[in-house]
Amino acid sequence: MIDKLEFFLALARERHFGRAAEECGVTQPTLSAAIRQLEEQLGVILVNRGSRFQGLTPEGQRVLEWARRIVSDTRTMREEMRAARKGLSGHIRLAAIPTTLSMVPMITAPFQEKHPDVTFSVLSTTSLQILALLENLEIDAGLTYLENEPLGRVTSVPLQIEQYHLVTAADTALSDRESVTWKEVSGIRLCLLTADMQNRRIINQHFAEAGAVPSPTLESNSMIVLFSHVRTGRWASIMPFNVAKSFGFHEDIRMIPIVDPDVHHTVGLVATYREPFTPLVSALLHEARMLGERNKAQ
């Protein structure tokens, strides 16, 4: 039953029998047969079939919720038993919005020092995708904003408070200022994150509060791309102070606080709410809380 539910989860994610079979490491006929056996066991049709996958039936949507719960519980049980036998080991899958990527090593480095048998993978993605990945059991935790948009049923640990700065090359417009307003910043050549990023939605909101509309001439989903363009002297950008600082201080780069309004936003680690947590996620949340306490004390 557990294997069949794993196949069903993969099919719901991929929405394609061939891709789901490839993800599960089985042939397409094997996966299709397992889904049919699951339907026979439960006495309902789970998948609308034609020449291709056409979505889940209403019963399939309900079973999907149960499958996530059952598979998650099973994985937790297996991890607990492995930890009892061998100590903490395994793989942690993280996803982070671009403005939090510089914080990831502050968690992973001390974590792996304590638990050297644990490995990590880290994805850079949007805040909405993080919630979807958590729901589909494709990641163990994510780093994202905690206060701006609904998070759903998650456990969250505050890590840091963002303060927005104009990041610009020396000897450019506004570079000699001690602070600038959002309205002033709207009038210069900007490069910003793309509109699907929550950071960009937050920035647009604060421009609107200041009665201004920015017209960026370059957009990217990568903070490295933005910073590289700032260094040319032809663009400026808006970044949280800690993100800009992570690129290293350069004499030719200025970081100027943006005021009127002077705004702050909390970012943190989120994991699907459950009791008990897997041993890996429990240890990860503990490490995140320690980082949050250190940042609060600074």
Side-chain angles (χ1 to χ4, degrees):
M1 174 67 81
I2 299 300
D3 289 342
K4 293 179 184 123
L5 292 176
E6 290 270 18
F7 291 166
F8 182 62
L9 287 176
L11 180 60
R13 283 195 300 268
E14 295 295 335
R15 303 183 64 79
H16 187 278
F17 279 94
R19 290 195 299 269
E22 184 177 354
E23 180 187 325
C24 295
V26 299
T27 65
Q28 184 170 329
T30 297
L31 183 135
S32 297
I35 298 298
R36 288 195 182 279
Q37 290 168 11
L38 183 61
E39 290 176 325
E40 291 171 4
Q41 285 180 274
L42 297 176
V44 294
I45 300 298
L46 303 176
V47 180
N48 291 315
R49 296 175 178 84
S51 58
R52 66 181 70 182
F53 177 84
Q54 295 181 350
L56 301 180
T57 64
E59 294 82 5
Q61 290 288 350
R62 188 72 184 107
V63 169
L64 179 61
E65 297 176 23
W66 279 103
R68 286 169 175 158
R69 189 181 311 175
I70 293 167
V71 169
S72 179
D73 286 344
T74 302
R75 292 178 183 177
T76 300
M77 178 183 65
R78 287 172 177 162
E79 279 194 28
E80 280 200 12
M81 295 307 100
R82 184 174 65 238
R85 293 194 316 269
K86 302 179 180 179
L88 206 60
S89 63
H91 185 74
I92 294 178
R93 303 158 301 168
L94 295 175
I97 58 175
T99 57
T100 64
L101 285 170
S102 61
M103 276 191 285
V104 173
M106 300 177 191
I107 297 175
T108 54
F111 187 100
Q112 198 172 58
E113 186 174 349
K114 297 170 187 170
H115 310 290
D117 292 330
V118 176
T119 59
F120 290 90
S121 58
V122 182
L123 300 175
S124 175
T125 185
T126 69
S127 57
L128 293 177
Q129 287 172 325
I130 286 174
L131 299 181
L133 291 168
L134 282 173
E135 184 179 40
N136 289 328
L137 308 181
E138 294 179 82
I139 59 172
D140 300 295
L143 280 76
T144 186
Y145 291 99
L146 300 186
E147 302 168 338
N148 191 57
E149 295 178 356
L151 290 172
R153 190 172 170 79
V154 299
T155 295
S156 61
V157 178
L159 296 177
Q160 204 166 67
I161 295 177
E162 285 191 346
Q163 299 172 288
Y164 292 100
H165 283 59
L166 174 68
V167 182
T168 188
D171 300 321
T172 58
L174 306 178
S175 65
D176 60 341
R177 300 280 294 277
E178 293 302 315
S179 66
V180 291
T181 68
W182 287 90
K183 190 149 193 170
E184 289 172 324
V185 171
S186 69
I188 62 176
R189 183 192 294 262
L190 291 172
C191 57
L192 299 174
L193 286 175
T194 49
D196 60 331
M197 295 291 175
Q198 190 173 170
N199 170 269
R200 177 63 183 280
R201 296 195 289 274
I202 290 172
I203 286 173
N204 286 349
Q205 172 190 332
H206 296 314
F207 273 123
E209 291 167 354
V213 179
S215 299
T217 59
L218 186 144
E219 297 177 320
S220 175
N221 62 358
S222 165
M223 300 301 290
I224 293 175
V225 170
L226 299 186
F227 193 77
S228 298
H229 281 80
V230 169
R231 295 202 67 188
T232 68
R234 292 185 57 81
W235 283 270
S237 190
I238 299 169
M239 298 182 185
F241 178 80
N242 291 294
V243 175
K245 184 180 176 182
S246 71
F247 289 107
F249 284 100
H250 301 275
E251 292 183 1
D252 56 340
I253 298 295
R254 294 286 322 280
M255 291 186 286
I256 306 163
I258 306 176
V259 297
D260 192 22
D262 182 8
V263 293
H264 303 79
H265 293 276
T266 303
V267 294
L269 184 121
V270 295
T272 302
Y273 178 82
R274 58 170 295 110
E275 284 292 344
F277 289 105
T278 68
L280 285 174
V281 171
S282 181
L284 185 71
L285 290 169
H286 176 71
E287 198 65 51
R289 292 187 186 101
M290 292 178 64
L291 174 59
E293 289 300 319
R294 290 196 299 271
N295 287 336
K296 190 186 299 184
Q298 291 177 357

